[in-house]
Amino acid sequence: MRAPAQPVIRLRGKAFSLAILVIAEVAAMATWFATTASLGAIRAQWDLSPFQEALLTSSVQAGFVAGTLLSALLSLADRADLRTLFSASALVAALANGAILLFEPTDPAVAILRFVTGMCMAGVYPVGMKLAATWARGDLGLLIGMLVAALTLGSASPHAMAAIGGLDWRAPVAGAAASALIAAVLIRFAQLGPNQAKAPPLRLSNALDAFRRPALRLANLGYFGHMWELYAMWAWIGAFFAASFAMRYGDAPPFDPRLATFAVVAIGALGALGGGFAADRLGRTLVTALSMAVSGLCAAGIGLLFGASPWLLLPVALVWGVSVIADSAQFSAAVTELSDRSLVGTMLTVQTCVGFLITLASIHLLPYAVDLLGWRYAFCLLAIGPFLGVLAMLRLRLRPEASAMAGGRR
């Protein structure tokens, strides 16, 4: 009579642990865009060059690249206790963000602290995906989609904090620090699922598997095209809204552009969940290719609505917000399914390492594209990535290894 009760216990463990993981991920990832969300308030008090503005975001990306590179070389996500690594990373991120309040935004120390925050996120984002994957049972795309949805909401939350905090640039920074501190405690209550492999031996060459295997290489190339677009869009869509609203309404827009930014980033959570649900049933390559095609078209066309009524501009931006992230989790799910089981954490870390390295280029290049082309055509630069990503995923669909994805649905 006791045997039937065991699956119920496991189900409760899965549901509870994933709920804790999602909440902790949202809370920790709030630190990512804490200063980016404050740009409007910072500009009101300090003169920033385009490079300084971009540095407030790109320093986090650079830190993340450094952290994931170190983690990949040491295979930390496959060798360390996942909850301890997540908790320690969130704690240090909270302290680094709190320390920003001691300096002016133009102080070089801020960029250093943002770099440290990015390094800590290497112990949160890919580690969270690995933790979610331990619970997967035919729903890997949806589970990782939940994590990406959490990342999306966490990334959007500072924009809401900024709107509530008015012109106080410290509000999103302080809120994000407190949020990360909560995440460091919460993650200790999560449990690991049954899908755990034996830790691999420590070899620096483990990380190269991501490029040695053709199917993994194509999955990663699709992800790299996606990342060229994603974070530059998230980093600069707020500035685009502010400039567009100012051009049409001057100092009296119908609503705060920061709330529009929050809506466009946050709605991506629905895209991540919907993309995961669809990919588990229709196939990873189909969903990723379709998502990138839509987001690429939005990137190429949204500038034509610059200065137009927000009621025309915002719907297109919301479609972009959904499509730009709907595919993200599926690249990670594909890598999880195509990798050696003992190296899943390392492969996820390598993927995110190179992907976020690419974001450094697009984030810094976009302001120069604005100066050269204006907002009407600047986002066309971002469309290059998803269109190349579509080609990579269609090639992956033709490979025999693709049958390992989504239960054979490719």
Side-chain angles (χ1 to χ4, degrees), residues 25-249:
E25 189 87 10
V26 171
M29 293 304 296
T31 59
W32 198 295
F33 283 104
T35 53
T36 306
S38 301
L39 267 178
I42 293 172
R43 286 195 203 100
Q45 301 178 52
W46 289 274
D47 290 328
L48 298 178
S49 68
F51 177 80
Q52 286 176 310
E53 289 189 11
L55 190 63
L56 290 175
T57 298
S58 65
S59 54
V60 186
Q61 317 289 106
F64 186 83
V65 170
T68 49
L69 179 60
L70 178 64
S71 178
L73 290 174
L74 299 179
S75 298
L76 288 181
D78 291 309
R79 297 175 59 82
D81 180 85
L82 297 177
R83 291 167 299 180
T84 300
L85 183 56
F86 189 116
S87 181
S89 299
L91 176 61
V92 176
L95 296 175
N97 266 261
I100 290 173
L101 301 175
L102 303 175
F103 304 94
E104 292 186 351
T106 54
D107 195 300
V110 173
I112 295 172
L113 290 169
R114 297 297 287 153
F115 182 89
V116 172
T117 299
M119 287 194 73
C120 294
M121 293 301 97
V124 171
Y125 180 36
V127 170
M129 288 193 291
K130 171 70 183 292
L131 202 158
T134 66
W135 288 105
R137 189 173 180 180
D139 55 358
L140 179 62
L142 180 59
L143 294 189
I144 298 184
M146 288 170 54
L147 262 292
V148 173
L151 174 148
T152 304
L153 289 175
S155 299
S157 61
H159 294 287
M161 295 178 197
I164 294 169
L167 290 178
D168 186 356
W169 69 271
R170 297 174 182 83
V173 177
S179 184
L181 191 60
I182 293 171
V185 176
L186 272 181
I187 196 64
R188 302 302 306 177
F189 294 93
Q191 298 177 353
L192 298 179
N195 300 333
Q196 300 179 56
K198 184 179 179 181
L202 178 58
R203 295 194 190 98
L204 298 183
S205 62
N206 284 342
L208 296 179
D209 249 27
F211 305 102
R212 278 193 293 246
R213 299 188 181 191
L216 274 176
R217 186 165 62 244
L218 287 170
N220 283 324
L221 286 173
Y223 179 75
F224 300 157
H226 153 78
M227 290 298 283
W228 172 263
E229 176 191 24
L230 175 63
Y231 271 81
M233 183 271 208
W234 277 0
W236 293 111
I237 191 67
F240 173 79
F241 278 141
S244 181
F245 288 13
M247 179 179 177
R248 186 173 182 87
Y249 299 104

Side-chain angles (χ1 to χ4, degrees), residues 3-17:
Q6 292 179 355
V8 176
I9 294 173
R10 284 198 292 269
L11 180 60
R12 287 177 181 173
K14 176 178 180 178
F16 177 80
S17 294

